[in-house]
Amino acid sequence: MTKYFNQRTGDTVTMDGRSARLDALDNWKILESDDETPQLANDGVLSRPTLTAPGVHDPSADVARTNEELREESLEAETGPAVGQELTVVEDGQISGVDKPPARGASKAEWQDYARKVEDDPERQSDIEGLTKEQLVERYGGDS
């Protein structure tokens, strides 16, 4: 029996006979006895497989969650329509998930906020800042 030790990862492999492949690789060492305590070679980050580089997210630390748990969490935190979620029109013509338009006398800032919520065309969305209050009321409904 031949016992090989990987000096970079700490893995050990026991085989019947020798392996030409492992003999050819410089990171595998044959252990002469079972008592031998091999040392890992310090070759930088590769010799530390449990560490991640600074600023790198370690997904092994995440707690796995089911889709149902994620849906419940998003419902609890929901204050409006989620990004990418389609808005649906309900019977009275209002868009579900978005408040009614502000009153005609509301401030320009309130009208701009409302317009950003209901406008899905990127080109028209970029125009919102340049519109006057009257144009916002005309475009986004000023029936109230």
Side-chain angles (χ1 to χ4, degrees):
M1 297 293 273
T2 306
K3 190 171 186 178
Y4 288 93
F5 174 76
N6 187 317
Q7 296 175 339
R8 294 186 185 135
T9 64
D11 294 335
T12 57
V13 175
T14 305
M15 307 179 124
D16 290 328
R18 300 209 25 182
S19 166
R21 170 116 174 113
L22 296 182
D23 286 339
L25 297 171
D26 64 343
N27 59 316
W28 288 92
K29 176 183 175 190
I30 296 175
L31 298 179
E32 301 299 330
S33 68
D34 290 333
D35 303 346
E36 189 176 348
T37 308
Q39 295 292 321
L40 289 175
N42 185 2
D43 65 344
V45 176
L46 293 178
S47 66
R48 298 173 280 146
T50 58
L51 300 178
T52 58
V56 175
H57 175 72
D58 180 11
S60 65
D62 291 343
V63 176
R65 294 184 290 176
T66 64
N67 285 342
E68 186 62 34
E69 291 170 330
L70 293 171
R71 276 190 221 100
E72 287 173 9
E73 182 181 304
S74 71
L75 286 176
E76 291 170 4
E78 187 172 300
T79 57
V83 174
Q85 178 181 355
E86 284 211 25
L87 300 174
T88 56
V89 178
V90 292
E91 288 182 29
D92 64 354
Q94 295 298 325
I95 297 174
S96 175
V98 179
D99 297 333
K100 291 183 178 182
R104 191 173 275 281
S107 70
K108 179 179 176 181
E110 290 178 69
W111 276 100
Q112 287 174 329
D113 289 341
Y114 175 75
R116 285 186 202 96
K117 289 179 186 176
V118 298
E119 185 61 69
D120 56 353
D121 179 10
E123 187 174 321
R124 289 184 71 158
Q125 181 129 117
S126 66
D127 293 342
I128 290 173
E129 293 299 319
L131 295 175
T132 65
K133 178 182 162 186
E134 291 73 28
Q135 290 170 323
L136 289 166
V137 171
E138 183 180 319
R139 183 181 287 182
Y140 297 104
D143 300 335
S144 53

